[in-house]
C-alpha cells in the first residue's frame, strides 16, 4: 500500500494542498498548516525525567493546554494519575475548553509526542487519513522507549475498540472527565504498522507537495536503521511517506540535542513556499561555522529548485538565534524554530529575551498573517533538550468523526 500510485486523468485541487498531477499517490504527508482535528500532549509524571522540576513543567503544560484548546481539540495521554490531571485541567480551562479535551490513560516513558506520536498521511483526492505508526526507540536507544513506542497502538487501537464497538480495552478513554458509555467520537482512519522502520516526527518536514526535508546526521545516526545507507533510507522514506523528493540537510546541530539533529529545531517549512531557518550571526559563537554552512546549503537548494506541484520558488526567511542559555555548564538547545501551528494560531517558544522573543514572533506573524501568535516560556522545556513542537503532535482533519 505504501507508495502505490493510481492513474487519475483529471486535475485535482484539494483543500490545503497544491496538486496538479496525473498520478496521485495513495497518501502524501500534508504540510503542518493543513486543517487539524486535534493536538496530542503526553503528560509528564514522576516516572519521567521531568521529576526534578515536575511542578514547573506541569505549569508549562497547563499553559499549552489553555492555548491549544482555544483553537483545537486536545488529546491528553495521561498516566499514572488521570484524575489529578483532569482536576488540573478543569481548574485552568473554561467549561467550553474542557469540551475539547479527551484524555487517554496508557503507560509512557516520557512526553515527546512529536516523536512517539503517529505521522499522518492524507489521500489528496479523498482526504482519507492514514496514521503511520513508525518505530520509536528513544532516539537511537539513548533512553527508555518501549512504553512510548506502544502509545500510538494503545491510543488509537484502544480508541477504535472503545469508540467503534464499545468493547473494553486496556486503554481507558476519558471524555469531559468521564469514561463514556458511548463516546462522542470515533476513529475515522487507517492505522499502518511501520514498526520495522525507525522514524521520529521531529526529523521530517513536508511542504505538502511531495517534498520531505530531513537531516543526514539524524537519520543515519547509530542504532536507528543500520545497516541501511543514506540512499537506502531515502528509498524507504519515499515509499513509506508517499514522497517524490527527499532533501537532505547536513549542517546545523544545536548543543544538547539528544535527537542527533532533528530538523524541527532549525528549519521549518511554511505556507507560500517560505522556509524559516535559524541564523546565527555571532561569529565568535562556537556554532557559527556549522550554522553558516546550513544557511549556504539552504540558499543553494532554493536557487536550484522549485516546489514539485506548483513549481513555485522557495523563499528563505531567517529567525534570530536566542542568546545562549545554560543549565550549569551545559548549553541548552534554545530555538525559535520549534513552534507549533494550530488551526488559527501559532504557539512560539520564548526564552525571557524580550528583544529576540519579539523579533521571532514578529517574523512568524509575517509568515502566518491570519493566525494569532502566542508566546509561551520554554525555558523549562529546554532543560530536557526539546521545545514546544517536540512536545506535541497534530492530527489532520478527518482523523476523527462524530458518532451519529
Amino acid at each position: 500500500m505504501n507508495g502505490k500510485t493510481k492513474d487519475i486523468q483529471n486535475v485535482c485541487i484539494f483543500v490545503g494542498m497544491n496538486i496538479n498531477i496525473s498520478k496521485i499517490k495513495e497518501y502524501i504527508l500534508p504540510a503542518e498548516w493543513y486543517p487539524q482535528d486535534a493536538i496530542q500532549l503526553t503528560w509528564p509524571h514522576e516516572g519521567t525525567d521531568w521529576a526534578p522540576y515536575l511542578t514547573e513543567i506541569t505549569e508549562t503544560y497547563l499553559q499549552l493546554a489553555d492555548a491549544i484548546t482555544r483553537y483545537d481539540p486536545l488529546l491528553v495521554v495521561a498516566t499514572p494519575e488521570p484524575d489529578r490531571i483532569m482536576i488540573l485541567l478543569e481548574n485552568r480551562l473554561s467549561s467550553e475548553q474542557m469540551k475539547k479535551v479527551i484524555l487517554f490513560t496508557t503507560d509512557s516513558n516520557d512526553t515527546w509526542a512529536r516523536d512517539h506520536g503517529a505521522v499522518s498521511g492524507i489521500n489528496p483526492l479523498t482526504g482519507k487519513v492514514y496514521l503511520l505508526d513508525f518505530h520509536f526507540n528513544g532516539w537511537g536507544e539513548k533512553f527508555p522507549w518501549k512504553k512510548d513506542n506502544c502509545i500510538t497502538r494503545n491510543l488509537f487501537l484502544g480508541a477504535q475498540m472503545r469508540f467503534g464497538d464499545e468493547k473494553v480495552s486496556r486503554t481507558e478513554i476519558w471524555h469531559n472527565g468521564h469514561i463514556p458509555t458511548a463516546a462522542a467520537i470515533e476513529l475515522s482512519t487507517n492505522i499502518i504498522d511501520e514498526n520495522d522502520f525507525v522514524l521520529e516526527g521531529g526529523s521530517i518536514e513536508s511542504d505538502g507537495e511531495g517534498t520531505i526535508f530531513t537531516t543526514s546526521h539524524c537519520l543515519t545516526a547509530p542504532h536507528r536503521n543500520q545497516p541501511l545507507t543514506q540512499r537506502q533510507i531515502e528509498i524507504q522514506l519515499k515509499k513509506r511517506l508517499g514522497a517524490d523528493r527527499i532533501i537532505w540537510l547536513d549542517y546545523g546541530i544545536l548543543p544538547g540535542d539528544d535527537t542527533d539533529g532533528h530538523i524541527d529545531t532549525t528549519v521549518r517549512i511554511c505556507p507560500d513556499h517560505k522556509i524559516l531557518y535559524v541564523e546565527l550571526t555571532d561569529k565568535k559563537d562556537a556554532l557559527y561555522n556549522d550554522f553558516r554552512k546550513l544557511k549556504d546549503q539552504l540558499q543553494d537548494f532554493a536557487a536550484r529548485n522549485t516546489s514539485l506541484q506548483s513549481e513555485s520558488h522557495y523563499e528563505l526567511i531567517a529567525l534570530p538565534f536566542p542568546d545562549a542559555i545554560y543549565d550549569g555548564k551545559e548549553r541548552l538547545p534554545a530555538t525559535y524554530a520549534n513552534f507549533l501551528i494550530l488551526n488559527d494560531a501559532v504557539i512560539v517558544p520564548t526564552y525571557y529575551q524580550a528583544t529576540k522573543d519579539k523579533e521571532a514572533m514578529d517574523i512568524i506573524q509575517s509568515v502566518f498573517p491570519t493566525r494569532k501568535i502566542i508566546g509561551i516560556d520554554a525555558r523549562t522545556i529546554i532543560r530536557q533538550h526539546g521545545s514546544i513542537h517536540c512536545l506535541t503532535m497534530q492530527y489532520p482533519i478527518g482523523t476523527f468523526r462524530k458518532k451519529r
Side-chain angles (χ1 to χ4, degrees):
M1 177 156 50
N2 297 345
K4 291 181 181 177
T5 60
K6 300 176 182 178
D7 290 330
I8 306 294
Q9 298 303 318
N10 61 312
V11 173
C12 167
I13 302 297
F14 192 74
V15 176
M17 299 179 186
N18 294 309
I19 302 294
N20 187 1
I21 50 177
S22 59
K23 288 188 176 181
I24 303 294
K25 292 183 180 292
E26 188 163 4
Y27 59 79
I28 64 173
L29 256 64
E32 286 195 25
W33 56 91
Y34 186 86
Q36 300 164 352
D37 258 358
I39 301 291
Q40 178 181 331
L41 282 175
T42 302
W43 209 265
H45 55 83
E46 286 285 355
T48 66
D49 290 339
W50 298 110
Y53 25 90
L54 190 59
T55 299
E56 292 90 339
I57 194 60
T58 298
E59 172 58 28
T60 302
Y61 266 70
L62 289 170
Q63 292 177 21
L64 286 169
D66 182 30
I68 290 167
T69 52
R70 294 177 186 272
Y71 301 93
D72 287 27
L74 174 65
L75 301 178
V76 177
V77 175
T79 183
E81 300 176 298
D83 293 308
R84 183 182 66 84
I85 293 168
M86 288 303 299
I87 291 171
L88 289 172
L89 290 168
E90 288 169 349
N91 288 340
R92 179 63 61 94
L93 308 183
S94 70
S95 58
E96 287 302 308
Q97 287 173 288
M98 283 302 298
K99 291 178 182 178
K100 297 181 180 180
V101 174
I102 302 172
L103 187 144
F104 300 78
T105 62
T106 190
D107 290 340
S108 62
N109 297 109
D110 214 328
T111 60
W112 305 102
R114 179 64 46 182
D115 297 337
H116 63 240
V119 174
S120 301
I122 295 180
N123 183 290
L125 279 178
T126 66
K128 184 175 180 62
V129 176
Y130 297 81
L131 295 181
L132 313 180
D133 184 17
F134 287 99
H135 189 63
F136 174 72
N137 71 347
W139 310 283
E141 301 179 350
K142 296 184 184 74
F143 304 96
W145 53 271
K146 291 185 178 180
K147 293 177 182 178
D148 288 346
N149 188 48
C150 293
I151 287 177
T152 292
R153 275 179 302 236
N154 289 347
L155 195 159
F156 286 105
L157 293 181
Q160 195 168 38
M161 290 172 67
R162 180 68 66 108
F163 290 163
D165 57 19
E166 298 182 8
K167 294 179 181 178
V168 175
S169 71
R170 64 193 183 93
T171 303
E172 296 177 358
I173 302 160
W174 293 47
H175 184 251
N176 288 339
H178 303 283
I179 298 178
T181 55
I185 62 174
E186 63 182 351
L187 201 60
S188 177
T189 186
N190 284 348
I191 299 175
I192 299 177
D193 185 359
E194 302 280 3
N195 254 266
D196 60 338
F197 190 79
V198 176
L199 188 71
E200 301 118 24
S203 70
I204 52 176
E205 282 279 308
S206 172
D207 69 352
E209 296 189 35
T211 298
I212 301 295
F213 297 76
T214 190
T215 62
S216 58
H217 33 267
C218 174
L219 266 63
T220 61
H223 305 293
R224 278 185 165 89
N225 289 302
Q226 283 72 24
L228 297 183
T229 65
Q230 182 171 315
R231 175 59 183 155
Q232 290 170 327
I233 291 172
E234 178 169 324
I235 292 170
Q236 290 296 319
L237 291 175
K238 287 180 177 179
K239 173 186 174 183
R240 295 169 187 267
L241 301 179
D244 296 302
R245 178 172 64 181
I246 308 297
I247 302 302
W248 295 89
L249 300 176
D250 304 307
Y251 307 100
I253 299 182
L254 296 173
D257 182 358
D258 295 323
T259 70
D260 302 304
H262 273 183
I263 194 170
D264 70 344
T265 63
T266 56
V267 178
R268 300 296 303 281
I269 312 305
C270 299
D272 301 316
H273 309 95
K274 293 179 171 65
I275 300 178
L276 285 177
Y277 69 99
V278 292
E279 181 178 29
L280 184 56
T281 58
D282 181 3
K283 294 183 178 181
K284 296 180 181 179
D285 195 303
L287 305 177
Y288 175 80
N289 287 336
D290 189 34
F291 279 87
R292 176 67 225 193
K293 291 177 181 178
L294 173 64
K295 179 180 179 180
D296 290 344
Q297 192 172 24
L298 287 169
Q299 288 177 330
D300 181 68
F301 163 77
R304 295 171 179 265
N305 295 276
T306 61
S307 63
L308 294 178
Q309 304 303 332
S310 61
E311 298 183 350
S312 300
H313 291 280
Y314 293 98
E315 178 184 355
L316 301 179
I317 301 175
L319 285 168
F321 215 99
D323 295 335
I325 301 174
Y326 291 87
D327 186 4
K329 295 183 178 181
E330 179 189 19
R331 184 170 177 176
L332 300 176
T335 174
Y336 293 112
N338 207 247
F339 53 82
L340 171 67
I341 304 168
L342 305 177
N343 280 326
D344 292 300
V346 181
I347 302 177
V348 179
T350 59
Y351 301 100
Y352 206 65
Q353 299 176 16
T355 300
K356 288 191 173 182
D357 288 350
K358 184 179 185 304
E359 180 185 359
M361 292 175 70
D362 287 347
I363 292 170
I364 294 171
Q365 180 72 83
S366 72
V367 175
F368 295 92
T370 64
R371 285 172 163 86
K372 174 76 172 176
I373 305 301
I374 303 167
I376 289 183
D377 188 345
R379 288 177 295 168
T380 300
I381 307 175
I382 61 173
R383 294 179 71 178
Q384 282 300 316
H385 307 146
S387 199
I388 288 171
H389 189 256
C390 302
L391 291 177
T392 56
M393 177 54 84
Q394 76 283 340
Y395 294 102
I397 192 167
T399 304
F400 300 99
R401 63 172 175 259
K402 292 183 179 179
K403 289 185 72 173
R404 295 179 180 177

